Amino acid sequence: MGLEVRGSMDGSEPSSVLEVMRQQWASMVSMGGMFVGTILLGLSIQPIYNVDEVRAFGAEGASKGGYVALELLFIMIFTVLIIWLARRGLDFAIKAIVMLALGMSLFYIVMPYVWLLFNILGISSSDLILGSSIAICISLMAMLVKYPEWYVVNTVGVLVGAGVITLIGVSFVPVLIIAFMLAAAVYDHWAVNSSKHMLELADTMIKNKLPVLLVAPKERGYSFIEEDEQVMRSETPEGMDWDDPAPHIKPKSGGRDALFMGLGDVIFPGMLVISSVSFLPEWGPEIGTIFGTMYAGPLAVGLGTLFGGLCGYVALMTQVARGEAQAGLPLLNGGSILGYLISGAIAVGPAALWQDISFL
């Protein structure tokens, strides 16, 4: 998924990328906070779902590369389907497909915290916990349909992202997650910079106000509801001097500019964080959490992976500051993988970072 910044903060023509970043620091920090917060939220529920029964393809499937190839194929099919529907004006079908998937993903992050709340209150009814979780998910979906402002979209997006991160992260060993991330990064670069169909997909989601992206406003008056339908593809003017694009960054009237990041740009680094904690050797002291226990060694690698992803995010912002839509996964995934390798070599040893895998 691409990222894009539109407009400077004060209407002046910035003299350098650093100046642009200084002007847009609030939205960039906000987006970075959502990036970290989504992954940490997914990490918090990892102990609950780190069991063989929950893994998407079972215990044996966690080390089979064929299932990762299948996941990547599903992503491509979904992208083609959504673009095909959008070009035919079938927005209702797009909303139905995406909202169904979102509602199911929401349940996995909402239910543990509903259980925690009821446990604190001394309520142990499983039916009540289940019913309340479903009711909250339906309410969030209804709010999204009725009033899809940026803070509603972000709330649902962060929750959905945390759920997806955890479910995929506990389903594959780190080696396969890294292979998945590398393949996705190559695809993302091609889809954003060559075919540009990823930008068309992003515009479709913005048009339909669907939370498969995160939005960081740059001004208080920003309204996602009033956002243009062609945000990502509107910033490539004819004749722009790409060697010095920053002077062309100017705000539109109305102050409706924002930074956008696809949810996939958070999910892929987060998957490696969860996978590290789930599958690396149980080394070091046990650390108690609200939903279970983790081991210090794998947790250190997971946090190191997150730090690497955050470094990739900072590097990405230097490119986003130029006002161009960017493929986020090459830098985000690259930073996360580097963070995994470095922290893993220190915390659990290089030998522990490799897992035996097969295709089928």
Side-chain angles (χ1 to χ4, degrees):
M1 172 62 84
L3 293 105
E4 181 174 9
V5 175
R6 295 169 52 209
S8 62
M9 293 295 287
D10 56 9
S12 62
E13 294 189 358
S15 58
S16 67
V17 170
L18 290 179
E19 179 65 15
V20 177
M21 294 182 69
R22 185 190 66 80
Q23 294 175 352
Q24 300 169 355
W25 71 269
S27 59
M28 291 183 176
V29 170
S30 174
M31 187 65 77
M34 286 187 282
F35 176 85
V36 173
T38 302
I39 296 175
L40 290 180
L41 185 60
L43 185 61
S44 72
I45 61 172
Q46 181 270 349
I48 295 178
Y49 296 111
N50 188 29
V51 293
D52 291 341
E53 293 77 12
V54 177
R55 307 192 203 284
F57 304 100
E60 294 184 357
S63 59
K64 296 188 180 297
Y67 292 123
V68 170
L70 187 62
E71 293 273 356
L72 189 60
L73 179 61
F74 283 155
I75 292 175
M76 294 179 181
I77 292 174
F78 174 80
T79 301
V80 171
L81 175 62
I82 296 299
I83 292 176
W84 184 84
L85 292 171
R87 290 179 177 178
R88 282 156 180 76
L90 301 175
D91 290 347
F92 68 93
I94 295 174
K95 287 185 176 181
I97 293 171
V98 174
M99 294 293 278
L100 177 62
L102 292 175
M104 295 174 63
S105 300
L106 266 177
F107 179 79
Y108 289 98
I109 183 66
V110 169
M111 187 179 67
Y113 280 95
V114 171
W115 172 87
L116 178 63
L117 176 61
F118 281 18
N119 188 56
I120 293 173
L121 297 176
I123 301 173
S124 59
S125 172
S126 57
D127 290 338
L128 185 58
I129 292 173
L130 177 63
S132 299
S133 300
I134 294 174
I136 290 173
C137 293
I138 293 175
S139 298
L140 287 171
M141 291 293 98
M143 187 180 302
L144 188 62
V145 171
K146 187 173 181 60
Y147 192 70
E149 196 46 273
W150 60 268
Y151 40 84
V152 177
V153 170
N154 285 345
T155 299
V156 176
V158 166
L159 293 174
V160 168
V164 173
I165 282 170
T166 305
L167 292 179
I168 300 180
V170 300
S171 296
F172 297 109
V173 297
V175 169
L176 288 181
I177 292 289
I178 290 174
F180 196 3
M181 293 169 72
L182 292 174
V186 172
Y187 171 70
D188 193 38
H189 183 272
W190 172 76
V192 171
N193 298 309
S194 295
S195 74
K196 299 191 183 298
H197 70 266
M198 192 62 75
L199 304 184
E200 183 177 354
L201 177 65
D203 280 336
T204 299
M205 296 305 172
I206 291 173
K207 173 185 176 182
N208 289 284
K209 311 303 182 220
L210 295 172
V212 293
L213 47 75
L214 301 173
V215 185
K218 297 196 309 176
E219 298 181 359
R220 291 185 178 180
Y222 175 81
S223 173
F224 184 60
I225 295 175
E226 300 175 4
E227 185 58 80
D228 295 337
E229 295 181 3
Q230 289 195 346
V231 176
M232 294 298 182
R233 292 171 290 167
S234 63
E235 298 295 322
T236 56
E238 297 284 338
M240 175 177 281
D241 179 7
W242 293 110
D243 292 329
D244 187 23
H248 293 269
I249 304 175
K250 296 180 181 179
K252 293 179 63 177
S253 59
R256 303 187 329 183
D257 298 336
L259 174 67
F260 301 95
M261 182 164 71
L263 208 54
D265 293 329
V266 183
I267 289 174
F268 277 95
M271 287 172 4
L272 185 56
V273 173
I274 301 299
S275 181
S276 301
V277 177
S278 302
F279 291 102
L280 290 180
E282 297 176 345
W283 179 87
E286 287 190 53
I287 299 175
T289 70
I290 55 176
F291 292 118
T293 60
M294 299 179 184
Y295 287 86
L299 180 59
V301 180
L303 295 177
T305 302
L306 174 56
F307 179 76
L310 190 58
C311 290
Y313 172 81
V314 174
L316 183 61
M317 289 301 101
T318 65
Q319 300 302 310
V320 172
R322 296 180 179 274
E324 308 167 47
Q326 298 290 330
L329 291 183
L331 284 172
L332 293 169
N333 285 0
S336 299
I337 293 171
L338 188 60
Y340 168 80
L341 294 175
I342 294 174
S343 61
I346 295 172
V348 298
L353 300 182
W354 175 259
Q355 299 85 38
D356 292 331
I357 60 173
S358 61
F359 187 74
L360 289 176

